[in-house]
Amino acid sequence: MAIAINKENIEALLASEQPLVIDFWAEWCGPCRTITPIIEELAEEYAGKVNIGKCDVEENDDIVMKYGVRNIPTIIFVKGGQVVDKQVGACQKGALVEKIEKML
């Protein structure tokens, strides 16, 4: 299951040796709801190798501003505390798998 990312756990996740994938979303966003099942599948498939979570843009302004998220869904890929890739808008699972595999 995808981690709920918020100001309480973001620093610990960034400090982890595992890469981090953050899906910025909102309840009212149609494309965000479309991509949610894919994010959940990836969280299960990469459990123990990659931290994968969802960050509600309505509740986490500081994280949204830190990463300059202007559109949702936006998925960022973080390795070693640095953003190494980004996906803006809904996409196919294969595109996300490709970006995750590059971080491993």
Side-chain angles (χ1 to χ4, degrees):
M1 183 169 186
I3 303 161
I5 296 176
N6 53 47
K7 64 184 173 209
E8 284 80 31
N9 65 6
I10 186 74
E11 291 305 322
L13 289 167
L14 289 171
S16 169
E17 291 191 16
Q18 290 185 358
L20 175 63
V21 176
I22 306 174
D23 172 23
F24 289 91
W25 71 289
E27 190 66 43
W28 48 263
C29 168
C32 298
R33 288 196 305 268
T34 301
I35 210 164
T36 291
I38 295 170
I39 295 296
E40 292 295 338
E41 284 176 29
L42 292 171
E44 284 184 32
E45 290 170 18
Y46 286 94
K49 292 189 250 171
V50 180
N51 289 317
I52 299 178
K54 299 175 69 59
C55 183
D56 189 333
V57 297
E58 300 281 312
E59 298 173 4
N60 298 287
D61 287 345
D62 45 348
I63 300 171
V64 170
M65 288 184 357
K66 176 180 180 174
Y67 291 104
V69 174
R70 288 182 166 51
N71 301 304
I72 53 172
T74 291
I75 301 167
I76 63 166
F77 301 81
V78 182
K79 184 173 183 175
Q82 300 296 312
V83 175
V84 294
D85 210 339
K86 180 191 266 189
Q87 169 67 45
V88 179
C91 64
Q92 299 293 321
K93 181 178 178 181
L96 299 177
V97 167
E98 195 174 300
K99 291 174 187 286
I100 290 170
E101 287 294 327
K102 276 194 220 169
M103 294 193 303
L104 296 175

